[in-house]
Amino acid sequence: MALTKNTAVLNWIDEMAAMTQPDQIVWIDGSQEQLEALRAEACSTGEIIQLNQEKLPGCYLHRTAENDVARVEDRTFICCRRKEDAGPTNNWMDPQEMYAKLKGLYTGAMKGRTMYVIPYSMGVVGSPFAKYGIELTDSIYVVLNMVIMTRVGTAVLDALGDSPDYIKGLHAKADIDPENRYIVQFPEDNTIMSVNSGYGGNVLLGKKCFALRIASYLGKNEGWMAEHMLILGLQNPAGEVRYLAAAFPSACGKTNLAMLIPPAFYREKGWKVWCVGDDIAWLRVGEDGRLWAMNPENGFFGVAPGTNEKSNPNALASTRKNTIFTNVVHNLDDNTVWWEGLDKNPPENAVDWKGNPWNGKTSDAKGAHPNSRFTAPAINCPCISDQFESPTGVPISAIVFGGRRAKTAPLVYQSFNWDHGVFVGSIMASETTAAAAGAVGVVRRDPMAMLPFCGYNMGDYWQHWLDMGTKIEHQPKIFNVNWFRTDDEGHFLWPGFGDNMRVLEWIMKRCFDEVDAVEGPIGYLPKVDDIELEGSGVDRELLADLLTVDPALWKEELAGIRTFYDKFGDTLPKTLDQELSELEGRLG
Ligand code: GTP
Ligand code: SPV
Ligand code: MN
């Protein structure tokens, strides 16, 4: 039975049901009874596997199709009326043409299946910054994930009332056919359509599709920003908590930084990190003239491999109950899960991510997919911030950009000012990871970590960043970090993880004028003595090396940036062109 009288909602659902032809329609009310019944049904069909309920209460395992394990950027489209509004970095198709093509794929796609109606909120229901969506899907796995990642149920429909202001999302698994897989955003219609996939980022439509692609477009029009950023609070020994937001590309360390546990030396003095969000931030200018960030999500869809008791104990703890694991190893001995980098004791009697028997002691092949994930409720996180549910978020002192660069980028540097900071974000580049289908380890330009997620022309997006700067009276300082510099054998030089605290301390001190810096061609760099190394195993010489800026490498970099910028033609803001010339000048 329909849970709303909202005619905009009901008419749209009728239309989608007429096209997809499900056997029945089930509204997700968010109740535990309903979810329990859905879990039982999904277990009975093998869609999910119930794990050891003593060791992992409320936890389940799911395996996606082998060809469907990551986001598909080449099949992701921004369909707005004018091609130039999608810009040179997005795939585009005329909306009418795309609707027609999709209609062919969706027609009858839910025959013999159930259509679930998921009313969900990005942000705390009823908060002035929350935005609502309805996802229609034929996958119980999607329902169970959306319930963890967003706020789902009747309360959302009550808050929406009879307003037509919601984001429409249609997902059908169809045949999981990679040749007919489409992830399509229609920003001008508040609509998302996804077909032929069952993998997270392609089908949990509240996440990348809504909270970044559609929301970035809304933000441009409404004067706010939707960014691929973690949000954390750094508590100092005086008990003050200062907040930062950081944009790193997929699988480049956001979840790890957001849940960081400071090294013993810091903990003893009273330092602590609080997690507000690990992937997405919505940022607005507050009445106090500061920039405020809120996390629209309600859970973590985190990378499993590499997560362990040492690298990220808070993430691991978050996954010990009410969590869905996707594409990890199934340990048959005790009905638990395992992944590469969890511990040095892989199970022998196990099933790999493809569903085949796997012996971790003898097999050379990986047992878990490199992009295997956990979906865990945010409230499970031992360091979740007491501001997590704050309807308007937290005030941001620092914005941090970063990526995987083996050589060029130093451990940390600060931009000269807001506009230069926008430039620093725009010239980000990073090695590709398993989070998206395609080659791994190839350096590509990924401005603000938004290349795959910006819902409109990236040139206009940069202009929006510049415009926002003029509206923020108390601007955050902007930084760039790189945890991934390597030696000539490819080993990481910086210990990373908890030791990144040392860099965070410097960043916050810079924001509050508590430490000075050295002015260099690319920005302000720390003095070697200003980064705490006690207990890190890193000596001053190595730190100095991590902070070097090689002019020869940067001159090569300039050429790459110029080529990238040239793609944008007239939409490249003059300010950024000017910043590039100035950098060129400073490098000599
Ligand atoms: P998405 O969920 O895809 O957006 O990824 P993310 O940015 O949240 O990345 P995450 O924190 O999950 O880390 C991805 C990978 O980077 C994992 O394999 C981590 O072990 C590794 N990693 C994270 N932080 C560090 C670090 O400081 N140093 C090194 N060397 N590796 C790191
Ligand atoms: C990312 O790829 O940045 C993720 C995972 O956070 S996904 O939800 O697949 O986008
Ligand atoms: Mn992400």
Side-chain angles (χ1 to χ4, degrees), residues 540-566:
R540 298 272 155 223
E541 200 185 337
L542 175 56
L543 178 62
D545 195 28
L546 284 160
L547 292 172
T548 51
V549 175
D550 180 340
L553 284 177
W554 274 87
K555 279 181 201 163
E556 274 173 44
E557 193 71 6
L558 290 175
I561 299 166
R562 177 63 67 197
T563 310
F564 183 59
Y565 270 8
D566 281 347

Side-chain angles (χ1 to χ4, degrees), residues 71 207-208 228 248-251 254 278-279 301 373 453:
R71 285 181 295 99
K207 195 174 179 58
K208 297 303 169 46
H228 193 197
F248 310 155
S250 302
K254 287 183 301 301
D278 81 324
D279 199 51
F301 186 60
R373 300 255 167 184
F453 307 121

